Amino acid sequence: MDIESDGSRIFVRVDRGEDVVATVRLAVERLDLSAAVVTSGVGMVQAAELGSAAGGGKRSFPGLLDLSSLSGSVLRRHGTQVARLQAVLNDARNRTVGGRLIAARCHGVVGVLLAAVDLSMDVSEPPR
């Protein structure tokens, strides 16, 4: 992993073999941000696991996939960074899948652009 920042925009390079979700979460943690928005991400991944916010369960994709789009957020909850990332993935036959990215191992390099957010509200508790 490598991190470059100009203060509000952060570029995270995820290296071969690293998990994309864990690396993005770790980058936000290392920068000690209360929150960050993932504005884009592209690259090649393998062994991806997608979930559904609608309760559709988990789906695994063991082959090489093109990460065409990545967006979402990383928020601090109870002192821990929690990543909620959505991904669009394409296989070699141009079949497209998407959903909540639970895990994906980087194959080559994945580039992720983040925007720092100064979040003063407590995201640990739902609003009343």
Side-chain angles (χ1 to χ4, degrees):
M1 168 180 58
D2 189 30
I3 304 168
E4 294 284 334
S5 175
D6 68 1
S8 62
R9 293 175 303 194
I10 302 138
F11 180 78
V12 178
R13 187 190 71 219
V14 183
D15 294 320
R16 184 183 203 97
E18 295 177 332
D19 181 76
V20 174
V21 178
T23 301
V24 169
R25 188 174 53 238
L26 181 60
V28 173
E29 184 177 302
R30 282 192 183 167
L31 293 168
D32 196 30
L33 302 174
S34 60
V37 175
V38 177
T39 60
S40 67
V42 295
M44 293 293 293
V45 298
Q46 59 187 5
E49 187 173 357
L50 295 177
S52 171
K58 296 178 185 178
R59 296 173 292 162
S60 295
F61 302 90
L64 288 177
L65 298 160
D66 178 28
L67 175 61
S68 299
S69 178
L70 184 69
S71 62
S73 62
V74 182
L75 305 171
R76 185 176 296 142
R77 286 189 143 171
H78 304 292
T80 302
Q81 297 294 356
V82 178
R84 299 277 183 171
L85 305 180
Q86 298 292 319
V88 176
L89 305 167
N90 304 294
D91 68 11
R93 296 175 62 194
N94 291 320
R95 292 178 294 195
T96 301
V97 294
R100 181 172 173 202
L101 188 63
I102 297 168
R105 192 169 61 246
C106 177
H107 182 81
V109 174
V110 170
V112 180
L113 185 62
L114 307 172
V117 179
D118 184 17
L119 196 61
S120 60
M121 71 174 152
D122 182 1
V123 295
S124 302
E125 301 294 327
R128 295 178 186 208

